[in-house]
């Protein structure tokens, strides 16, 4: 009997259409076949996880059909391909995401229900893929989905981390890190490609030989690691196109030295394998030690080299030659981590394919483009020359040669200007000789883009000012976006239903249709439905908070949300100090007209970032005091939800009333959490930083709460000094809050625990927490006043949703495709002519 999972796909029903009984029977048969033949269980003995595996594999079969067809079409047509290199891909759970995009969500839900299994329960069996930290990785995931949606042939390249970042546990208020064993039960989405293996070399020395009058470099490495490919299909909307996410796992060519093992030296017998496997164990190993820094550089070169070898092999198989590489291949470097692509592509072209240097350089620059995500110096990576020389000697030679011609151009542009040459050099001679990776990516790319209008302007004015002068026109802007399929349709189905009811089903394909609800923003009945959706989502979040933390929160209170990586510039500290000041104000006047508020925090601090971890402890200590003080009668609650990930975000974001986007002005490149929250009806309180500016311009200044200094003000104040004692003297609320924190009122068992925070707020206010406090506090009280007028708040919330269409990642990817990659974009083809026709078809 043929496995029914390999029968042809039945067409997915258009929204609202009844399910075809034949299709339903086919799906049930496919799931049962997978349960028996792939999982090895009978229905009566199967666990929830068994059912999840069977359903996922049945779905994967249908995706693979589309995937192979899409691959063949694009290769047959000779289409240009995009290769997206990123150290992070925060893809989250794929099951319902893929079901939704394939148009099979309803039919699988019914099929599983008929088999006695709940789809929502199965979804919980899937772990979040631990392949990223925060916004950078989530953006890469949104972009991969949008490239598939727009039928752009693309492959994402990254590392298949065994444990990813880490699993965050909060123990007595402190963050503790544990391995995130996301692969513990296997991964039904990936397909191992054991035949796709590339040698990645490290160390050794370089031999230069004369090859018919040309100098030829031969690298004799001292170590080789093998990269093994694992592919995960990424489904576009309506299943029209499927791309691949290819992740690399590391192994030693000689995983077991049998002679050593037979002698009883078991440690030495597997030492090479352990060293190789370390490359893909964890995302962002602690780089405080020399060994940690070396591992970071090994990780970056490992995935860059494997990816470039792979795409070159693909290109040669379809095109036969490399001279026209840039006409068929676009490589996007997602942040500075893949900067070694510049030197690796040059090495491949010059050393392995005998291109002359100048021609290889033209090909490299025309093929590569670089997205910068931050102006923070620590993110614009630099590596000691000594480490480079020991680990990647040939690449250091290539960097030196690139730098020679690069500095010659600098000298021609500004003769005799030593400071100019020093500022643009790929080697920083002032800090113990270090290779500047951000500079390398800039020089080796034909386009460098920022991720919001403000960020791109600041790149031109600050970190890349001199490089922009040397290579004018290379910097462009591509404001980030988010996929509405994940962050509206899946995360907020109740709101999606309301939008379909109001705008028609065309809103599922065309986000500009969201604007149709603008006309209903003041409509009493529409506002009632909108508030009911929000209350439903808040009740679900309140339930989760109760289950995980044992804290009871009121769903009718204002849910004030700050969910992001814990970092000083993101200013969770400003939020918690305002929380302390508000708590003190409520205690002073417990019968005042206070708006009940729940402060919700979530996010991880880097394992080595001690100050950020201390901020997490402060949040939890303040929560312990505030939540257990009967004097404030529950008017204020503080919640820190541990182990923030995509799945947790999908519960928090639809429930948020207020979105905290309060980074120090000039330091947040863009943000995407601000977009997700606004799309789901949260009002933003924020600085004029990153994409907050563009959000303000789209939703209207009256529908966002802006406070604080602007980027120019921040730079000016820093020049004047970081002492904030003058600000604190003039702000009784701030002074009282800092004194309470510093004196141990929230840490009675350890009164000095937060002295360092209090000291920094007074005298080392680099992130302008104290300087912006009064403006922030007043903005929060304005938020309180608006909340108390429910129709006005709801109207502003509706307008936020209505005006967010521009922030779709589909728009962002169209801009990349047209202005950087030079690849065509195919429009989404809906399964109906228009919303009216579709409703008629549904009967």
């Amino acid at each position: 009997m043929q496995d029914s999972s390999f029968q042809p796909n039945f067409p997915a029903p258009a929204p609202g259409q009844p399910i075809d009984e034949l299709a339903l029977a086919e799906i049930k048969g496919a799931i049962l076949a997978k349960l028996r033949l792939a999982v090895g269980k009978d229905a009566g003995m199967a666990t929830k996880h068994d059912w999840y595996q069977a359903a996922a594999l049945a779905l994967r079969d249908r995706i693979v059909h589309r995937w192979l067809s899409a691959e063949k079409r694009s290769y047959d047509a000779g289409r240009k391909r995009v290769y997206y290199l990123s150290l992070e891909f925060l893809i989250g759970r794929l099951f319902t995401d893929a079901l939704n995009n394939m148009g099979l969500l309803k039919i699988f839900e019914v099929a599983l229900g008929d088999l006695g299994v709940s789809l929502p329960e199965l979804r919980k069996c899937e772990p979040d893929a631990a392949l990223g930290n925060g916004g950078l990785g989530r953006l890469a995931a949104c972009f991969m989905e949008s490239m598939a949606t727009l039928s752009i042939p693309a492959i994402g390249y990254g590392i298949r981390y065994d444990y990813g970042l880490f699993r965050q546990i909060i123990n007595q208020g402190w963050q503790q890190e544990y391995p995130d064993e996301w692969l513990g039960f296997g991964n039904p989405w990936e397909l191992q490609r054991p035949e796709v293996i590339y040698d990645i070399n490290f160390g050794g020395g370089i031999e230069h030989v004369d090859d018919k009058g040309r100098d030829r470099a031969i690298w004799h490495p001292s170590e080789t690691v093998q990269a093994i490919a694992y592919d995960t299909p990424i489904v576009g909307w309506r299943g029209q196109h499927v791309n691949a996410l290819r992740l690399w796992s590391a192994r030693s060519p000689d995983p077991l030295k049998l002679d050593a093992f037979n002698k009883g030296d078991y440690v030495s017998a597997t030492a090479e394998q352990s060293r190789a496997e370390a490359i893909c164990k964890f995302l962002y190993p602690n780089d405080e030690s020399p060994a940690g820094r070396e591992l970071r550089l090994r990780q970056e070169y490992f995935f860059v080299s494997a990816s470039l070898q792979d795409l070159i092999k693909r290109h040669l198989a379809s095109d036969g030659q490399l001279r026209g590489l840039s006409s068929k291949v676009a490589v996007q470097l997602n942040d500075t981590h893949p900067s070694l692509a510049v030197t690796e592509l040059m090495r491949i072209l010059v050393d392995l394919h005998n291109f002359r240097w100048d021609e290889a350089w033209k090909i490299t620059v025309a093929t590569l483009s670089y997205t910068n995500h931050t102006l923070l110096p620590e993110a614009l990576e630099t590596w000691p020359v000594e480490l480079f020389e020991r680990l990647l000697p040939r690449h250091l030679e290539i960097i030196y040669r690139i730098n020679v011609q690069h500095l010659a151009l600098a000298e021609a542009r500004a003769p005799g200007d030593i400071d100019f040459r020093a500022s643009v050099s790929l080697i920083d001679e002032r800090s113990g000789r270090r290779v500047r990776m951000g500079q390398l990516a800039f020089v080796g790319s034909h386009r460098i883009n920022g991720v919001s209008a403000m960020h791109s302007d600041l790149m031109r004015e600050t970190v890349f000012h001199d490089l922009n002068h040397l290579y004018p026109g290379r910097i462009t802007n591509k404001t980030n976006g988010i996929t509405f399929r994940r962050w509206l349709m899946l995360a907020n189905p109740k709101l999606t239903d309301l939008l379909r009811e109001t705008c028609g089903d065309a809103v599922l394909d065309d986000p500009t249709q969201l604007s149709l609800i603008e006309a209903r923003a003041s409509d009493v009945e529409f506002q009632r439905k909108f508030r009911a959706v929000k209350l439903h989502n808040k009740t679900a979040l309140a339930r989760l908070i109760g289950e995980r933390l044992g804290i009871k929160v009121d769903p009718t209170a204002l849910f004030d949300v700050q969910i992001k990586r814990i970092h000083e510039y993101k200013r969770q500290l400003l939020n918690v100090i305002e929380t302390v000041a508000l708590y003190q104000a409520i205690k002073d006047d417990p019968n005042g007209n206070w708006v009940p508020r729940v402060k919700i925090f979530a996010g991880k601090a880097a394992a080595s970032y001690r100050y950020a971890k201390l901020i997490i402890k402060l949040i939890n200590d303040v929560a312990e005091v505030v939540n257990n003080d009967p004097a404030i009668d529950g008017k204020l609650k503080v919640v820190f939800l541990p182990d923030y990930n995509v799945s947790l975000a999908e519960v928090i974001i639809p429930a948020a009333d207020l979105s905290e986007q309060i980074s120090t002005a000039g330091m947040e490149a863009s943000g995407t959490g601000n977009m997700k929250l606004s799309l789901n009806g949260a009002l933003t309180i924020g600085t004029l930083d990153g994409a907050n500016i563009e959000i303000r311009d789209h939703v209207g200044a009256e529908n966002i709460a802006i406070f604080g200094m602007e980027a120019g003000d921040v730079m000016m104040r820093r020049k004047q000094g970081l002492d904030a004692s003058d600000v604190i003297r003039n702000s009784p609320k701030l002074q009282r809050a800092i004194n309470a924190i510093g004196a141990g009122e929230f840490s009675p068992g350890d009164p000095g625990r937060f002295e360092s925070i209090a000291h920094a707020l007074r005298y080392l206010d680099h992130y302008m927490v104290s300087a912006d406090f009064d403006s922030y506090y007043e903005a929060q009280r304005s938020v309180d006043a608006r909340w108390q007028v429910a129709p006005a708040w709801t109207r502003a919330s509706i307008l936020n949703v209505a005006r967010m269409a521009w922030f779709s990642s589909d728009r962002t990817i169209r801009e990349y495709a047209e202005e950087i990659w030079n690849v065509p974009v195919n429009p989404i083809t809906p399964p109906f002519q228009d919303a009216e026709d579709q409703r008629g078809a549904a009967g």
Side-chain angles (χ1 to χ4, degrees), residues 201-209 217-223 393-394:
N201 298 319
F202 296 98
I206 309 302
E207 177 188 2
H208 287 270
V209 299
I218 302 173
W219 183 9
H220 299 287
S222 59
E223 179 188 4
R394 177 54 180 153

Side-chain angles (χ1 to χ4, degrees), residues 2-8 26 30 34 61-62 65:
Q2 186 181 12
D3 181 351
S4 62
S5 65
F6 291 97
Q7 303 259 342
E26 192 266 348
K34 287 297 178 186
D61 286 347
R62 282 144 188 79
H65 285 301

Side-chain angles (χ1 to χ4, degrees), residues 373-388:
H373 284 278
T374 180
L375 306 177
L376 293 175
E378 63 265 28
L380 294 171
E381 293 178 314
T382 64
W383 298 107
V385 166
E386 176 277 326
L387 175 60
F388 236 96

